Amino acid sequence: MTELRADCSRCHGLCCVALPFPKSADFAVDKQAGKPCGNLRADYRCGIHDRLRESGYRGCTVFECFGAGQRVSRGSGWRASAADAERQFAWFGKVRELHEVLWHIEEALALPEAAAVRGDLIRVRDTVDAAAEDPGCDVGSLRQLALGPLRAASGLARGKGPDLGGAQLIGRDLRSRKLRGASLRGAVLVGADLRGVDLGRADLTGADLRGADLRGADLRRALFLTQPQLTAAVGDRTTLLSPEKDRPAHWS
């Protein structure tokens, strides 16, 4: 199976070079796309990896390439030539998007309630995985191909939960809301108060959880929750997570 988790030891530091970021609370400096970060060493490792947050690079700690880095880094590194660099950077961006789609598909395949669409999910997974080998692949059409089966799997798993997809819930106190089985796809939950909320079978695909307070929340059966979403949120030892998720080191 395609690896869907970053292994920086087998990557040419692609996220540290290919991606742009503006100076902000998340990044200490401005960096242009294609320009190596000043902290990137000659061996493609980050010189401040163990102190990113305190050094002003909080944004790096919430980034996940879903294994795109090691997939694209096979062969010569981007330092080999300008042509290699341009090709790898463009391909990396595409594979990162496709690997996130694959990550969601693999989670959907593990849902017992989604057995009725298992065949569709497998066919889409195989198509997307094969396409990721082609630097010229059409990411938009592949994402669209996966959308239907993923939404179907979500609906089967959620049941009759409330639909809050795309809702603007910035800073809202949601502690009294019944969100079990809710669709929160693409919801903006920046700074929302979700303390103690049961988010079992809630679909969190693409939900913006930056600064959301998840202390005491039950996320053990939340759907399509990624590690970067957790890292961007606020939590503590009372936040309930599934064994597959890592508790962010900066949580209290």
Side-chain angles (χ1 to χ4, degrees), residues 37-134:
C37 173
N39 299 305
L40 185 65
R41 303 186 318 212
D43 62 355
Y44 298 116
R45 304 278 77 80
C46 174
I48 59 169
H49 185 73
D50 59 346
R51 56 185 189 281
L52 283 165
R53 294 184 73 87
E54 50 267 50
S55 299
Y57 290 84
R58 183 175 59 185
C60 296
T61 68
V62 300
F63 179 79
E64 169 64 54
C65 77
F66 295 97
Q70 60 260 34
R71 185 170 196 164
V72 176
S73 290
R74 293 175 302 190
S76 61
W78 53 266
R79 289 192 176 100
S81 70
D84 285 339
E86 184 176 354
R87 175 180 176 275
Q88 280 199 324
F89 297 160
W91 189 18
F92 171 70
K94 290 184 175 184
V95 175
R96 194 268 173 202
E97 288 192 56
L98 294 181
H99 274 209
E100 184 172 8
V101 171
L102 290 173
W103 188 92
H104 288 303
I105 291 174
E106 291 296 341
E107 179 165 331
L109 284 168
L111 297 172
E113 304 96 326
V117 294
R118 181 174 176 81
D120 292 334
L121 289 165
I122 290 174
R123 283 189 288 274
V124 172
R125 179 196 64 189
D126 293 346
T127 298
V128 172
D129 193 27
E133 288 294 319
D134 177 14

Side-chain angles (χ1 to χ4, degrees), residues 229-250:
Q229 286 173 301
L230 279 177
T231 306
V234 176
D236 64 9
R237 59 183 178 79
T238 67
T239 306
L240 301 178
L241 302 175
S242 65
E244 296 78 23
K245 296 293 187 297
D246 295 328
R247 193 173 299 274
H250 65 278

Side-chain angles (χ1 to χ4, degrees), residues 118-239:
R118 181 174 176 81
D120 292 334
L121 289 165
I122 290 174
R123 283 189 288 274
V124 172
R125 179 196 64 189
D126 293 346
T127 298
V128 172
D129 193 27
E133 288 294 319
D134 177 14
C137 64
D138 184 346
V139 173
S141 64
L142 291 164
R143 290 178 67 93
Q144 191 63 35
L145 181 68
L147 187 59
L150 283 172
R151 282 185 170 172
S154 172
L156 290 166
R158 292 192 303 104
K160 297 181 179 180
D163 187 354
L164 294 170
Q168 297 292 317
L169 301 168
I170 299 172
R172 294 278 295 276
D173 186 343
L174 301 172
R175 288 176 293 173
S176 63
R177 296 289 294 270
K178 302 294 185 182
L179 295 179
R180 184 176 181 83
S183 173
L184 290 165
R185 296 176 66 92
V188 182
L189 293 156
V190 176
D193 190 344
L194 291 159
R195 286 177 293 170
V197 174
D198 181 0
L199 290 165
R201 287 303 191 251
D203 185 342
L204 293 166
T205 304
D208 191 341
L209 294 174
R210 287 176 296 166
D213 194 338
L214 299 176
R215 289 176 293 174
D218 189 345
L219 295 157
R220 288 174 295 183
R221 301 183 73 217
L223 302 176
F224 309 121
L225 173 66
T226 66
Q227 192 64 45
Q229 286 173 301
L230 279 177
T231 306
V234 176
D236 64 9
R237 59 183 178 79
T238 67
T239 306

